[in-house]
Amino acid sequence: MTKTWRGRAARWAIALVWFYEGFWCKIWPGRADQRAIVGDVPFLPGWAVTGALLGIGLTEVAIGVWVLSGRRARAAAIVQTVLVAGFNLGGLLFGTDRIDEPGRLVTQDLAFLALIWMVTWTVDE
């Protein structure tokens, strides 16, 4: 469990990013740019894009719930780091023309990862 109210607030901030990205951007109502980026993934048939977005979105929501639980915080941070890096890499490889400012995306995600790891270092496991 986090030691302070600041740690809990930071954990909520992280979870809200995952909820927004997962539920709002991928499930309901969904963002056209994210659908387009997933649609550009090679070897992913068009009929599978909706299912892929749903799976990614549900995974992101589940990560948010995991973060709020405070359980296995280091494992959660590792999983989050891998997902953020993987999503960025995939977006930059397959959807660069659909990302308005790739530098901003990477910068924001580096700040997000810094917050994730700072929260991880404030917990007792």
Side-chain angles (χ1 to χ4, degrees):
M1 300 301 281
T2 47
K3 298 176 182 178
T4 68
W5 67 270
R6 288 179 193 95
R8 288 189 296 277
R11 217 169 55 223
W12 268 99
I14 293 165
L16 288 173
V17 170
W18 286 111
F19 294 155
Y20 170 77
E21 288 294 331
F23 185 72
W24 185 260
C25 294
K26 309 227 177 29
I27 298 173
W28 184 83
R31 286 184 27 188
D33 63 329
Q34 300 222 358
R35 173 175 283 283
I37 291 168
V38 171
D40 286 346
V41 172
F43 309 112
L44 181 67
W47 58 264
V49 171
T50 298
L53 281 170
L54 180 62
I56 293 167
L58 290 173
T59 299
E60 290 176 331
V61 169
I63 295 289
V65 171
W66 186 7
V67 168
L68 285 179
S69 79
R71 296 182 191 273
R72 300 187 45 104
R74 284 176 186 79
I78 291 167
V79 168
Q80 290 174 88
T81 300
V82 169
L83 288 177
V84 168
F87 291 155
N88 275 342
L89 183 61
L92 293 171
L93 286 175
F94 306 126
T96 303
D97 57 328
R98 300 185 187 279
I99 298 173
D100 291 332
E101 296 181 52
R104 181 180 64 189
L105 170 74
V106 172
T107 303
Q108 287 174 337
D109 283 343
L110 286 173
F112 183 51
L113 288 172
L115 177 61
I116 288 167
W117 282 99
M118 285 177 56
V119 168
T120 299
W121 295 324
T122 63
V123 299
D124 295 321
E125 287 209 80

